[in-house]
């Protein structure tokens, strides 16, 4: 049997791990600069914690975990014969791998709200799992890097998160555009078109615009039972100008008497205006009226970040979710959060060739192994280097020097050190810079100070 990877998963080499750490370190630094504190939650949750929070499509992508032991022993025989997967799921599985970091965070807040100081700001960098169809930039196991604030309704939180996005991506060397909308605007649009009872169907279809285009969205809306007359009233959605404030003004006119829609316009206008006052380039912050983000728990602002120079799906996203903890029995804890897509960010930086040289994990010195007393002296010197925070290792066997050279070159080690009998006697160290091809002999003291 040949070994293989589960579909949608990957191994990471030393170079890939080092580059991922480079991204994570920048994000972590900025999270903490903005006042967020770290949190970690379990890899799996009770299935009941996760289901019903992501919409119909999201629920289908949750990886369920079979119950331990004979998970078929308590299955209803009729359900088994009927192959009723909806009824069977609850009988054979009561846990699941986490789908995102937001719902586990909401569960944590609900369980610990009496001990937390609000507003509570946390960041979380952990893997999540989705039974999605793998494709470029989309995996079944991937990391999310989230920053959330709960316990505040202030729109200044949205403004701050825009700043966090732009500062982080600027440090990563990426030019990005933040697409922003508001779920209240989407609710207002559904009311305007007379389809308030089909809000979820409307937003799920609209969220696919960049993937299936206008014709695909219209087709899906019809398939979901939305009348052509209502679709015609929404036709203006697909022909927006580049001026965000002008588009908001147009909406104000259409939302006359529509309280929910007008509230969404007012909130979005505040966030955009304040961001511009703080120096955000209008080109970097786009009001995208068709942005829906198909998650049921969003109630206000919604974000999606796209790289300007690479064709890729979103590399970040999030929004406001004022009612999420209510499903866990805790009311009046509003929240907002954003996520950075580590894996897609990696692919964009790689495609643009923007990883710096230091985003690698290379050994500084490899000591040639000559055997005997020289080996012990080499190990003593290696210990001193490591105490100074300098990476070093000894080739494990006393092999031909050519083999040791090859090992160093293949591993990308910078220097090969020769500590032979003559060097030990004279108190010197000879080393060869494998990148420059230069060989030097220096005193032991000079070597340790370099």
């Amino acid at each position: 049997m040949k070994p293989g990877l589960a579909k949608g998963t990957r191994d990471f080499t030393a170079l890939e791990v080092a580059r991922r750490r480079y991204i994570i370190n920048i994000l972590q630094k900025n999270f903490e600069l903005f006042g967020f504190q770290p949190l970690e939650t379990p890899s799996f949750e009770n299935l009941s914690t996760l289901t019903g929070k992501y919409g119909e499509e999201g629920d289908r992508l949750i990886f369920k975990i079979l119950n331990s032991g004979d998970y078929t022993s308590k299955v209803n025989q009729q359900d088994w014969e009927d192959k009723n997967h909806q009824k069977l799921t609850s009988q054979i599985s009561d846990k699941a791998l986490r789908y995102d970091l937001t719902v586990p965070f909401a569960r944590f807040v609900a369980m610990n709200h009496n001990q937390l100081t609000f507003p509570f700001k946390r960041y979380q960098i952990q893997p999540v799992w989705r039974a999605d169809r793998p494709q470029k930039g989309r995996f079944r196991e991937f990391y999310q890097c989230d920053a959330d604030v709960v316990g505040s309704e202030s729109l200044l939180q949205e403004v701050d998160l825009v700043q966090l996005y732009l500062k982080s991506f600027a440090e990563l060397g990426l030019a990005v555009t933040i697409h922003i909308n508001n779920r209240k605007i989407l609710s207002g649009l559904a009311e305007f078109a007379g389809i308030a009872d089909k809000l979820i169907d409307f937003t799920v279809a609209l969220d696919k615009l960049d993937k299936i285009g206008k014709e695909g969205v219209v087709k899906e809306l019809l398939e979901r039972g939305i009348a052509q007359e209502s679709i015609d009233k929404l036709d203006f959605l697909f022909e927006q100008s580049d001026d965000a404030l002008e588009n908001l003004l147009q909406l104000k006119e259409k939302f006359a008497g529509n309280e929910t829609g007008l509230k969404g316009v007012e909130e979005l206008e505040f966030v955009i205006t304040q961001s511009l006052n703080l120096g955000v380039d209008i080109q970097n912050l786009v009001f995208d009226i068709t942005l829906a983000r198909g998650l049921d728990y969003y109630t206000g602002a919604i974000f999606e970040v796209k790289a300007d120079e690479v064709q890729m799906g979103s590399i970040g996203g999030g929004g406001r979710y004022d009612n999420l903890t209510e499903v866990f029995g805790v009311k009046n804890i509003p929240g907002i959060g954003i996520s950075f897509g580590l894996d897609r960010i990696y692919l964009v930086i790689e495609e643009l060739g923007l990883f710096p040289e230091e985003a690698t994990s290379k050994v500084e010195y490899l000591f040639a192994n000559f055997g005997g007393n020289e080996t012990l002296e080499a190990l003593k010197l290696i210990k001193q280097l490591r105490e100074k925070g300098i990476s070093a290792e000894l080739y494990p066997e006393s092999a031909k020097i050519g083999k040791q050279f090859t090992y160093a070159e293949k591993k990308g080690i910078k220097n090969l050190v020769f500590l032979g009998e003559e060097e030990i006697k004279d108190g010197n160290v000879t080393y060869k810079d494998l990148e420059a091809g230069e060989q030097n002999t220096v005193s032991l003291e000079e070597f340790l100070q370099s």
Side-chain angles (χ1 to χ4, degrees), residues 123-284:
Y123 73 87
Q124 198 167 343
I125 301 174
Q126 288 186 280
V128 299
W129 294 266
R130 295 182 186 178
D132 211 342
R133 181 178 298 168
Q135 53 187 282
K136 182 181 179 182
R138 179 173 292 176
F139 307 99
R140 288 179 170 174
E141 178 186 61
F142 57 97
Y143 267 71
Q144 284 189 339
C145 309
D146 284 13
D148 290 74
V149 187
V150 292
S152 172
E153 294 181 340
S154 172
L155 294 176
L156 292 175
Q157 304 293 356
E158 279 86 332
V159 176
D160 210 34
L161 291 175
V162 168
Q163 306 297 310
L164 175 56
Y165 261 145
L166 293 176
K167 185 176 187 303
S168 299
F169 282 117
E171 290 187 19
L172 289 168
L174 296 182
V176 300
T177 301
I178 301 176
H179 294 250
I180 184 171
N181 198 4
N182 192 297
R183 287 292 281 222
K184 294 183 180 72
I185 288 177
L186 293 169
S187 296
L189 288 170
E191 187 177 325
F192 169 75
I195 54 172
D197 60 328
K198 289 188 173 292
L199 174 61
I200 300 301
D201 290 306
F202 166 56
T203 56
V204 167
L206 192 63
D207 195 46
K208 299 177 182 177
L209 179 64
D210 60 340
K211 302 182 184 74
I212 61 178
K214 176 183 175 180
E215 288 185 9
V217 170
V218 170
K219 180 183 177 183
E220 183 160 338
L221 289 172
L222 290 169
E223 290 173 349
R224 289 176 175 269
I226 295 175
Q228 184 66 53
E229 180 184 357
S230 296
I231 296 173
D232 291 341
K233 293 185 72 173
L234 297 168
D235 192 63
F236 74 96
L237 294 178
F238 306 105
E239 298 178 3
Q240 295 291 295
S241 77
D242 294 331
D243 189 322
L245 298 178
E246 181 183 316
N247 292 334
L248 287 171
L249 183 62
Q250 182 187 29
L251 275 182
K252 281 184 180 179
E253 296 171 0
K254 293 185 179 296
F255 285 162
N258 185 327
E259 186 178 342
T260 301
L262 288 173
K263 180 66 173 173
V265 170
E266 177 189 325
E267 291 180 1
L268 196 52
E269 197 170 36
F270 177 88
V271 174
I272 292 175
T273 301
Q274 293 303 318
S275 296
L276 295 179
N277 289 340
L278 288 169
V280 172
D281 191 325
I282 190 62
Q283 303 300 318
N284 297 128

Side-chain angles (χ1 to χ4, degrees), residues 186-420:
L186 293 169
S187 296
L189 288 170
E191 187 177 325
F192 169 75
I195 54 172
D197 60 328
K198 289 188 173 292
L199 174 61
I200 300 301
D201 290 306
F202 166 56
T203 56
V204 167
L206 192 63
D207 195 46
K208 299 177 182 177
L209 179 64
D210 60 340
K211 302 182 184 74
I212 61 178
K214 176 183 175 180
E215 288 185 9
V217 170
V218 170
K219 180 183 177 183
E220 183 160 338
L221 289 172
L222 290 169
E223 290 173 349
R224 289 176 175 269
I226 295 175
Q228 184 66 53
E229 180 184 357
S230 296
I231 296 173
D232 291 341
K233 293 185 72 173
L234 297 168
D235 192 63
F236 74 96
L237 294 178
F238 306 105
E239 298 178 3
Q240 295 291 295
S241 77
D242 294 331
D243 189 322
L245 298 178
E246 181 183 316
N247 292 334
L248 287 171
L249 183 62
Q250 182 187 29
L251 275 182
K252 281 184 180 179
E253 296 171 0
K254 293 185 179 296
F255 285 162
N258 185 327
E259 186 178 342
T260 301
L262 288 173
K263 180 66 173 173
V265 170
E266 177 189 325
E267 291 180 1
L268 196 52
E269 197 170 36
F270 177 88
V271 174
I272 292 175
T273 301
Q274 293 303 318
S275 296
L276 295 179
N277 289 340
L278 288 169
V280 172
D281 191 325
I282 190 62
Q283 303 300 318
N284 297 128
L285 187 61
V286 174
F287 167 37
D288 186 349
I289 198 171
T290 64
L291 174 62
R293 291 196 64 79
L295 296 179
D296 286 356
Y297 54 63
Y298 290 130
T299 58
I302 44 180
F303 302 97
E304 198 156 272
V305 183
K306 296 184 179 180
D308 292 347
E309 300 172 89
V310 175
Q311 285 296 318
M312 180 76 67
S314 63
I315 57 175
R320 181 166 283 280
Y321 48 90
D322 287 342
N323 307 314
L324 196 55
T325 57
E326 287 189 16
V327 299
F328 301 116
V330 180
K331 297 182 178 181
N332 302 319
I333 303 183
I336 182 170
I338 59 172
S339 180
F340 292 78
L342 173 63
D343 298 283
R344 287 187 176 180
I345 292 170
Y346 182 105
L347 291 173
V348 172
I349 295 176
E350 183 177 52
E351 187 165 332
L352 295 174
L354 295 177
F355 278 114
E357 176 64 27
E358 60 266 24
T360 58
S361 180
K362 289 186 178 180
V363 175
E364 189 75 23
Y365 294 104
L366 172 69
F367 280 68
N369 191 329
F370 295 111
N373 184 56
E374 289 94 329
T375 299
L376 178 59
E377 294 301 317
L379 287 172
K380 289 179 181 178
L381 187 48
I382 288 170
K383 181 181 178 184
Q384 292 181 69
L385 288 172
R386 290 171 177 170
E387 287 172 350
K388 292 167 65 69
I390 299 170
S391 58
E393 64 172 285
L394 175 72
Y395 191 80
E397 285 88 28
S398 177
K400 291 182 179 180
I401 198 66
K403 186 176 182 180
Q404 300 189 48
F405 258 112
T406 301
Y407 173 82
E409 289 171 349
K410 285 186 175 180
K411 282 196 67 175
I413 295 173
K414 296 179 180 179
N415 300 284
L416 183 59
V417 180
F418 307 101
L419 194 62

Side-chain angles (χ1 to χ4, degrees), residues 418-442:
F418 307 101
L419 194 62
E421 184 178 346
E422 186 175 334
E423 280 85 7
I424 295 171
K425 183 181 69 173
D426 295 340
N428 292 331
V429 176
T430 299
Y431 67 94
K432 182 166 187 176
D433 184 329
L434 297 179
E435 294 177 351
E438 298 175 355
Q439 183 165 309
N440 298 288
T441 299
V442 297

